[in-house]
Amino acid sequence: MPEYLTERYEPGAAAETLQADAVRLADAVAALRLDGAAIEFLGSTFLPEDDGVFSRFASDSEELVAEVHQRASVPFERIIETRELRGER
């Protein structure tokens, strides 16, 4: 399943606020999965020095990732398809 990264900027946001956003994203994914959608929330990463938040998803489509954000009321700047690279041979 393809993986996606959402990017957003949250200047001055408290860690507690961003944690609450992650919970709402996970809840929105759970609700979509109950409806049969193929999507998984893989977590979020906060870069305090850059005010950036990156959330990761495995999903059948970019549209599902956007819907998760809409349902969770969590804005985003863009969605990018990603590929994980490992240092294995």
Side-chain angles (χ1 to χ4, degrees), residues 1-8 17-34 37-46 53-61 64-70 72 74-76 82 84:
M1 184 177 334
E3 292 188 7
Y4 297 90
L5 179 90
T6 60
E7 177 180 10
R8 69 184 197 272
T17 301
L18 300 175
Q19 179 60 44
D21 289 348
V23 169
R24 287 196 316 277
L25 289 170
D27 289 347
V29 164
L32 282 170
R33 288 175 62 91
L34 285 175
I39 187 165
E40 182 180 350
F41 178 54
L42 303 174
S44 293
T45 301
F46 175 45
V53 182
F54 299 92
S55 298
R56 299 173 320 281
F57 300 85
S59 175
D60 278 344
S61 72
L64 275 174
V65 175
E67 184 174 346
V68 164
H69 280 265
Q70 180 180 14
V74 175
F76 63 92
T82 65
E84 187 172 331

